[in-house]
Amino acid sequence: MHIWAVVRCDSAEPGRFGNEYLDSDLDPIVRFDADGNAVESFGGGMFIWPHGLFVDEESNVWVTDAVNPARTPEGSRGHQVIKFSSTGEELMRLGIPGKAGKGDYQFNSPADVVIGDNGNIFIADGHNPDGNNRVMVYNKDGEFLRTWGQTGYAPGEFHALHAMAIDKKGRLFIADRFNNRLQIFDQDGTFIAQWTQFGRPSGVFFDDHGNIYVSDSESDNVQNPGYEMGIRIGEAETGWVNYFIMLPNGDPRSTRGNGAEFVTVDAAGNVYGGEPFSRKVQKYVRVRP
Amino acid sequence: MRFIVVLLSFVLSNLILSGQTYPNPYRAVDTWSKFPDGRKMGAVGDV
């Protein structure tokens, strides 16, 4: 068992959240063993703000660079999605380095990436609420296929696509964070449904038992009043929420966002949250049936 | 009739209050992730 994670460098200076790797060559892509020890890493010098990560069926590791355009200097990094082998060999790049844009092969702070069963590449473009707000789709060779979405709050419109995941039925779930909802599509972009019962979604994950895990790092008195930060666990088929791991010490008066932005689950059912501000991969073990 | 109204009010208020009180069968494990070479953990993104 191992857990892959994007771990940014330790930039303690105020205001560095969002471009921590600008002046660092440390490796941001890290593999942890079952005991939480970092045992492998790569990707140093290739990102400014590594963000989304996906491990495909062939164990390749895909990572997005979601740096904001205003914080992107001229150069060879930013606004890209990079595919690595499991040992860190670069296999593919999508996006124009250092240049945010709206072209078919350009992104604006791509937040996440996921690969379909047929190898198609889905990219959440992207992180900024005033950005492209669209889904980009490529075939397995990186050739553009289609796109959908624009800024807004109607079905099929987005306000910051923070994460994506595909369930066992092939439905594409998108964490439409600033709209406080999950949107569900088929892989051609046809809208299926929207769910709000999982809070203000930052991350989405499906296990092999029909469960959906949604991390909510930003619900507070301003951005999603009435909801608490934490990880909600429910049924992928019906959307029914069954469990809630509330963020300890989560304060709804703070709009900083403190909880897990991303979530994954190992084969034993342990839950792992990627927490930016507390700087840790938080593990949760199940202690009740 | 009055009893039924009171009972319904009680049930509805509890349903609203319990809107997010789902069970939590998990417990947190402290300080799980770590670097062996002294590198400090930074902000964590996707996992």
Side-chain angles (χ1 to χ4, degrees), chain A residues 4 6 8 10 21 27 33-36 38 51 53 112 226-228 232 242-244 262 276 281-283 285 287, chain B residues 19-37 39-47:
Chain A
W4 286 98
V6 167
R8 303 188 191 114
D10 175 41
Y21 272 104
D27 290 336
D33 67 13
D35 296 321
H51 190 269
L53 177 148
D112 202 12
Y227 282 79
E228 301 282 354
R232 293 177 178 83
N242 289 321
Y243 307 110
F244 181 40
F262 290 94
V281 179
Q282 178 62 59
K283 180 179 180 179
V285 296
V287 294
Chain B
Q20 288 191 78
T21 55
Y22 304 104
N24 176 12
Y26 295 87
R27 288 294 177 271
V29 176
D30 291 334
T31 61
W32 179 78
S33 54
K34 49 201 170 284
F35 285 102
D37 56 2
R39 175 180 163 183
K40 291 182 179 177
M41 287 290 293
V44 177
D46 206 348
V47 290

Side-chain angles (χ1 to χ4, degrees), chain A residues 51-280:
Chain A
H51 190 269
L53 177 148
F54 182 80
V55 181
D56 68 23
E57 291 293 321
E58 297 172 345
S59 299
N60 300 309
V61 182
W62 300 70
V63 176
T64 72
D65 190 333
V67 64
N68 189 289
R71 305 181 79 177
T72 309
E74 290 280 335
S76 59
R77 296 179 295 165
H79 309 289
Q80 292 187 291
V81 178
I82 305 180
K83 175 185 180 183
F84 298 92
S85 72
S86 60
T87 55
E89 178 189 0
E90 182 181 331
L91 302 176
M92 182 190 294
R93 279 190 192 225
L94 291 168
I96 298 177
K99 292 189 183 299
K102 294 184 175 181
D104 289 347
Y105 292 90
Q106 275 186 299
F107 313 119
N108 184 335
S109 306
D112 202 12
V113 55
V114 66
I115 309 301
D117 285 344
N118 61 358
N120 281 355
I121 304 159
F122 296 83
I123 294 171
D125 180 29
H127 191 276
N128 307 320
D130 57 350
N132 287 345
N133 283 312
R134 61 184 184 172
V135 178
M136 303 294 285
V137 189
Y138 302 86
N139 68 16
K140 61 182 176 54
D141 299 316
E143 296 165 346
F144 174 77
L145 295 178
R146 59 187 167 274
T147 181
W148 74 86
Q150 61 182 3
T151 301
Y153 49 81
E157 298 179 339
F158 303 100
H159 203 194
L161 301 84
H162 196 266
M164 300 192 302
I166 296 175
D167 73 355
K168 293 182 79 170
K169 294 174 69 176
R171 299 178 299 174
L172 178 67
F173 283 64
I174 297 176
D176 184 12
R177 187 160 74 176
F178 274 60
N179 279 329
N180 295 332
R181 65 183 178 184
L182 290 168
Q183 288 202 69
I184 309 170
F185 299 89
D186 69 18
Q187 294 187 21
D188 292 324
T190 302
F191 175 82
I192 297 173
Q194 62 180 15
W195 292 351
T196 58
Q197 65 271 34
F198 287 88
R200 182 175 171 91
S202 286
V204 192
F205 182 83
F206 297 96
D207 68 15
D208 292 331
H209 307 288
N211 298 307
I212 179 173
Y213 301 73
V214 180
S215 53
D216 176 348
S217 61
E218 292 194 350
S219 278
D220 52 51
N221 290 344
V222 175
Q223 298 179 112
N224 196 22
Y227 282 79
E228 301 282 354
M229 289 176 279
I231 298 170
R232 293 177 178 83
I233 303 163
E235 297 167 19
E237 176 67 30
T238 64
W240 192 261
V241 180
N242 289 321
Y243 307 110
F244 181 40
I245 306 172
M246 194 165 81
L247 177 70
N249 305 317
D251 187 344
R253 296 170 297 181
S254 168
T255 57
R256 189 178 75 161
N258 289 302
E261 288 212 349
F262 290 94
V263 58
T264 191
V265 180
D266 68 21
N270 301 307
V271 177
Y272 302 82
E275 299 190 356
F277 285 101
S278 58
R279 301 180 172 206
K280 62 184 175 183

Side-chain angles (χ1 to χ4, degrees), chain B residues 1-26:
Chain B
M1 183 64 183
R2 185 175 178 185
F3 173 75
I4 293 172
V5 170
V6 171
L7 183 64
L8 277 174
S9 300
F10 177 78
V11 170
L12 284 173
S13 63
N14 275 282
L15 278 174
I16 292 167
L17 286 173
S18 64
Q20 288 191 78
T21 55
Y22 304 104
N24 176 12
Y26 295 87

